[in-house]
Amino acid sequence: MHVLSPVLAVSALAAMSVPVHALDAWTIGVERGLPTYALTSEAGEVRLVCDPDRVFGPTPNGAFVVRFVKDAAPDMVVVLAKSGEQARLPVNNGIAAQASVDAADWSKMVATFRSGGEFALVTSADSLTFETAPLPDLACE
């Protein structure tokens, strides 16, 4: 007969009682023939509209749409991955159009969302933090 030491028993119970953090889930849809991805929290929301097939012509129609509770009109949003990777997106009325964002920054943002994990959307006055599962099939460039 094996006897579990009191230290191991307490450690096992402590590990079992640690709350499990649920990942934020992307809501995936289609609008006007374009795939959309959305995350919502009490502090705000983000929506990504993708145009991988250039549905409406050669100019990409992708958009990054963000709403912060404490910063209604930011002019810049930084997407900050836990790894330290950053994408700077100039926004107007909460929208960054893919066609007007630096292509390298757009790609960094998409890579952050595709990789999943913890990331933050940061302005000079507010921030949103999410932790998501990877989106390996995210085609948004």
Side-chain angles (χ1 to χ4, degrees):
M1 180 171 156
H2 290 87
V3 177
L4 190 61
S5 79
V7 172
L8 288 177
V10 170
S11 295
L13 288 173
M16 290 171 52
S17 66
V18 172
V20 177
H21 174 71
L23 294 177
D24 298 299
W26 289 98
T27 301
I28 301 171
V30 175
E31 292 180 21
R32 295 182 47 222
L34 302 174
T36 62
Y37 302 83
L39 290 170
T40 303
S41 77
E42 292 178 9
E45 60 188 304
V46 61
R47 188 164 52 104
L48 184 63
V49 179
C50 299
D51 185 19
D53 300 321
R54 305 299 185 256
V55 172
F56 300 107
T59 303
N61 284 287
F64 170 83
V65 183
V66 66
R67 183 187 61 79
F68 294 88
V69 170
K70 296 178 186 173
D71 193 357
D75 58 5
M76 179 68 67
V77 174
V78 177
V79 178
L80 180 60
K82 191 170 187 173
S83 66
E85 189 79 59
Q86 296 182 29
R88 297 175 55 81
L89 305 172
V91 294
N92 185 2
N93 293 319
I95 300 171
Q98 182 180 359
S100 62
V101 170
D102 178 78
D105 281 320
W106 186 268
S107 291
K108 288 178 193 176
M109 175 199 62
V110 171
T112 297
F113 296 160
R114 188 180 290 132
S115 298
E118 189 174 353
F119 61 88
L121 310 173
V122 182
T123 73
S124 62
D126 204 355
S127 67
L128 297 171
T129 301
F130 295 101
E131 186 173 1
T132 64
L135 287 172
D137 298 327
L138 179 62
C140 206
E141 289 159 313

